[in-house]
Amino acid sequence: MLAKNVAVGKSDASIRVRRFTVIRLLLDHLVSTPNLATADTQPVSPIIQNGKEHAESHSLAFYGDLNPEAILMEATSLCSRRDVSAPGGLGIWQAPIAPRPSTQSSSVPSVQSSSRRAVQDMVRSYLWNHCLPCRAPPSDYAVLKRIYFEKMNPIFPIFEDPSVSSVPDEPIDILVQQVVSLAAAADPEATQHLRVSPNGPLMSRQEFCACLSNSVLATLDAGLVTDRVWLIRLSAALSLYTQPTNAEEADIPALLNSRAVHHAHTLGVQMAVDDGHPKKHMIQTIFCCVWALDRITGAFYGRARLMHERDVGWDFDECIRAQAPPFRLLLMIINLLDKVIGLYCPGTRPSQPVLVELPIFEQMILDAEALRMTSSCLASLEIFYHSVAILSTQSPADVASSALPQPATNSRRSLAADRITSIVGEEFAGQVSYMPFIPYAVSLSLSVSYRKMRHSKVPMFRNRGKQAFRKNIQLLKSMDDMFWKSKTMVAMAEQVLNEMDKAVASLAQENGLPDLSKKVEPVPQGERPEVQPEETRALEFAQNATEAGNEWMLFDAVPDLDLFGHFDPTFDLGAVDAALVGNFDFGTSTNWFDWHHQWG
């Protein structure tokens, strides 16, 4: 029954988000500073502190020198200190001023206080009864946790393993369990552990992930968590691992990324701290996670970057060197991605072909000291590396759809796309870390094969592109119950293949050739009717061509045939071109939901 109550569909998800938005607005209207945390669970941000952590300590706030308050605070407060990110500093760290005691008598009844308590009780009751219970039982969570910390957290260490069970059954610990389960659910090994109640029924990935995503998002929106360090961790992790389910949720991952960046800027995570700071490594790791996520969001969702090097006080090379080898290797790839994104910024379309130089991936592994990484994690990062390689070439707009692309562009894209398809579908099938950049990479590989199939003038290359196109469709189809983009790309690509089969059947009939769109069943040798040898060879010829998926018979008969020019006029081929070829351009990623609406 619990699984039935907490499993929510698309409409329930939208209603829940709107419901908590209304509740949040009501809270803001009733009190200027609502606080849903009780006194005994009030979190203390441990990020920027002088001295020891204790229950009464407050996190410091950063005030830049452009803020007039900084001058007065530095001159009048003994608790302020200058930052160390640059000679002379860029501002000060200041402990917040304690609020003055209220002059209002505690015996005077307050209408606002009673209203506030009533709303708080309603929100807390809903969260504890409907949102926080939505989590995997201990036996299943143990498996999901192992998957996450073996395959995902080493690559993107937004959580520290001991912190997951530091305070059991507290809201933050429950939220971490939910996000960890959400991330691990994409792995094939997790299929038998997608439950939200002991001995409850198994759920589909979509149901399980929708339940967890909506629960975490509702809890964060309600303000139950006030510790900004945990708000950064949870917002960043949810941004990376949640998957929208409808057009209204399309911007949620980007919104969560902006929240993580906002809280990071509020705490001054982007500013360097003293070498002797007890939390320096943790601060560096959180900063690197948010910085990397901001670049990933820019690539996946066509968003502007929110963190800029000119605002950062850290030495990037120092921050990267301080990380564990798997995360260090990811950051090195993200650094390459950051350079590639610059090719796609508005107004930067080149007049001449541009090729961003990339180091050899093997050398990057050595530089990151990542030789001891598991092969599956290395393969996952290699997939991401090849995604960046596909995007690292930019051609002028007038030749973007040319049949003969630039030599460097063609060779780099083709090799990278083949490696992505091979790693995901053959070499490490079912073993990679199923993070969001896996379907993103396969989608790019699909676009490369589509371009070859669509524009090549040589039948052999066109057929080769079609075979790669089919393989990538099957890979995306195996992930479409977890990743929204996979579902969208599969729906569109399958309709393209259907139209191709229709066109081939029609043209084969017009040219007097066997209909290659139909499967020719083999006939046992002893049961074959008496036919002329020529007829036998024709049947075998058609059967072999059909099994191989080749249209080369048709192209041999009409070598300059444009198969796409014979599609049904009602089929919107221009939209397919814009979607699949435009997949190389970050800005079109925001149209995934429009594509899904059109292609079903």
Side-chain angles (χ1 to χ4, degrees):
M1 290 297 294
L2 179 59
K4 182 177 180 180
N5 291 335
V6 297
V8 292
K10 298 179 181 178
S11 59
D12 292 336
S14 301
I15 294 173
R16 178 173 292 179
V17 172
R18 290 195 295 270
R19 180 183 301 165
F20 275 96
T21 301
V22 173
I23 293 173
R24 189 62 177 169
L25 291 174
L26 179 58
L27 276 172
D28 292 341
H29 175 71
L30 293 174
V31 289
S32 58
T33 311
N35 182 8
L36 299 182
T38 57
D40 59 322
T41 59
Q42 176 69 25
V44 177
S45 172
I47 224 175
I48 308 292
Q49 294 182 358
N50 289 322
K52 299 180 179 180
E53 296 179 24
H54 50 87
E56 295 80 12
S57 64
H58 295 278
S59 61
L60 300 180
F62 181 76
Y63 295 84
D65 284 339
L66 290 177
N67 190 335
E69 296 181 51
I71 301 175
L72 296 176
M73 287 181 176
E74 188 173 16
T76 60
S77 176
L78 298 177
C79 298
S80 64
R81 65 179 178 85
R82 283 218 148 253
D83 77 285
V84 296
S85 61
L90 301 174
I92 65 167
W93 297 105
Q94 168 68 35
I97 300 175
R100 295 182 179 180
S102 174
T103 58
Q104 184 178 8
S105 173
S106 59
S107 61
V108 178
S110 170
V111 176
Q112 282 192 347
S113 298
S114 60
S115 301
R116 171 186 174 183
R117 284 195 298 270
V119 175
Q120 287 179 347
D121 290 343
M122 178 182 65
V123 172
R124 291 177 66 85
S125 175
Y126 186 86
L127 294 177
W128 280 104
N129 291 324
H130 296 276
C131 296
L132 296 178
C134 180
R135 53 174 169 159
S139 58
D140 293 310
Y141 177 68
V143 177
L144 298 174
K145 180 181 176 182
R146 177 183 57 79
I147 293 173
Y148 174 81
F149 282 101
E150 284 182 1
K151 293 186 175 183
M152 298 171 182
N153 203 67
I155 295 176
F156 189 76
I158 192 64
F159 296 129
E160 297 171 336
D161 196 352
S163 69
V164 175
S165 58
S166 56
V167 188
D169 296 326
E170 287 297 318
I172 290 177
D173 180 72
I174 294 174
L175 290 172
V176 171
Q177 290 185 34
Q178 291 174 328
V179 174
V180 167
S181 301
L182 171 66
D187 193 274
E189 187 182 350
T191 305
Q192 300 302 316
H193 302 278
L194 305 182
R195 299 182 180 87
V196 291
S197 63
N199 301 320
L202 280 175
M203 303 171 68
S204 68
R205 279 198 180 103
Q206 290 180 331
E207 293 174 335
F208 184 76
C209 294
C211 171
L212 295 175
S213 295
N214 292 323
S215 298
V216 176
L217 185 61
T219 306
L220 293 178
D221 285 344
L224 192 61
V225 179
T226 58
D227 186 336
R228 291 189 186 272
V229 176
W230 279 108
L231 285 173
I232 293 173
R233 293 181 188 272
L234 292 167
S235 298
L238 189 60
S239 173
L240 184 62
Y241 295 115
T242 191
Q243 290 292 313
T245 58
N246 55 65
E248 292 182 0
E249 300 174 358
D251 63 338
I252 286 180
L255 175 64
L256 289 165
N257 170 67
S258 65
R259 287 185 185 178
V261 173
H262 164 76
H263 292 303
H265 282 163
T266 301
L267 289 179
V269 174
Q270 78 279 9
M271 307 304 296
V273 298
D274 299 323
D275 290 337
H277 196 288
K279 296 291 184 180
K280 179 180 178 180
H281 180 68
M282 184 195 74
I283 301 169
Q284 284 182 324
T285 301
I286 291 179
F287 163 73
C288 289
C289 284
V290 177
W291 176 80
L293 176 66
D294 190 43
R295 271 57 189 164
I296 291 173
T297 302
F300 288 9
Y301 299 98
R303 294 281 175 155
R305 290 164 290 182
L306 303 179
M307 302 188 75
H308 304 279
E309 286 75 3
R310 59 180 178 269
D311 301 322
V312 174
W314 292 103
D315 183 320
F316 268 94
D317 293 336
E318 176 192 347
C319 288
I320 292 177
R321 286 194 301 269
Q323 305 308 313
F327 188 37
R328 190 185 309 159
L329 184 57
L330 173 70
L331 292 174
M332 293 169 67
I333 299 174
I334 294 290
N335 201 25
L336 297 176
L337 176 63
D338 193 33
K339 297 177 182 178
V340 169
I341 291 177
L343 299 178
Y344 298 85
C345 292
T348 60
R349 194 77 187 195
S351 58
Q352 298 293 329
V354 177
L355 183 71
V356 176
E357 291 296 332
L358 300 179
I360 299 174
F361 186 66
E362 182 177 355
Q363 185 61 51
M364 294 179 68
I365 295 175
L366 298 176
D367 293 342
E369 300 177 348
L371 287 173
R372 295 185 180 274
M373 283 180 61
T374 62
S375 296
S376 59
C377 285
L378 274 180
S380 304
L381 289 175
E382 184 183 2
I383 292 168
F384 192 25
Y385 167 84
H386 287 303
S387 302
V388 177
I390 290 175
L391 297 166
S392 64
T393 61
Q394 180 70 283
S395 301
D398 56 345
V399 298
S401 297
S402 171
L404 294 175
Q406 297 296 322
T409 299
N410 182 67
S411 58
R412 177 178 286 191
R413 282 184 172 177
S414 296
L415 178 60
D418 289 345
R419 291 298 302 136
I420 290 171
T421 304
S422 174
I423 293 173
V424 178
E426 298 174 10
E427 188 177 0
F428 287 92
Q431 302 176 43
V432 297
S433 302
Y434 282 89
M435 300 176 72
F437 52 73
I438 301 299
Y440 180 72
V442 178
S443 297
L444 289 174
S445 180
L446 180 80
S447 293
V448 172
S449 57
Y450 174 80
R451 192 183 186 284
K452 186 177 297 184
M453 178 178 66
R454 176 79 168 86
H455 298 290
S456 178
K457 300 300 183 183
V458 180
M460 179 179 67
F461 294 155
R462 185 178 296 184
N463 184 67
R464 188 178 296 167
K466 184 178 180 181
Q467 299 310 308
F469 192 71
R470 288 184 183 275
K471 289 181 182 178
N472 286 310
I473 291 176
Q474 293 304 315
L475 293 179
L476 289 172
K477 201 167 186 177
S478 68
M479 297 182 281
D480 66 358
D481 60 343
M482 179 60 191
F483 299 104
W484 179 265
K485 186 174 184 180
S486 298
K487 183 184 299 184
T488 305
M489 300 292 283
V490 166
M492 189 186 314
E494 286 186 333
Q495 291 198 38
V496 172
L497 288 180
N498 290 337
E499 287 298 318
M500 290 184 68
D501 289 341
K502 291 179 184 177
V504 168
S506 176
L507 290 169
Q509 185 177 9
E510 292 178 6
N511 290 272
L513 297 173
D515 184 355
L516 302 183
S517 66
K518 296 180 180 179
K519 179 70 175 179
V520 179
E521 297 296 337
V523 180
Q525 185 70 31
E527 300 179 8
R528 289 185 178 179
E530 294 295 331
V531 296
Q532 299 296 327
E534 292 79 5
E535 296 177 5
T536 303
R537 286 195 297 269
L539 288 173
E540 293 176 350
F541 194 62
Q543 175 183 329
N544 294 334
T546 305
E547 290 176 349
N550 295 326
E551 286 87 23
W552 59 270
M553 291 169 56
L554 180 61
F555 290 126
D556 278 353
V558 190
D560 57 347
L561 175 67
D562 179 14
L563 185 62
F564 288 83
H566 291 78
F567 275 22
D568 189 328
T570 61
F571 184 81
D572 196 347
L573 184 59
V576 174
D577 287 341
L580 296 181
V581 177
N583 203 31
F584 297 131
D585 193 333
F586 297 127
T588 61
S589 300
T590 54
N591 296 325
W592 294 348
F593 294 89
D594 294 335
W595 301 347
H596 180 76
H597 177 74
Q598 179 172 358
W599 301 104

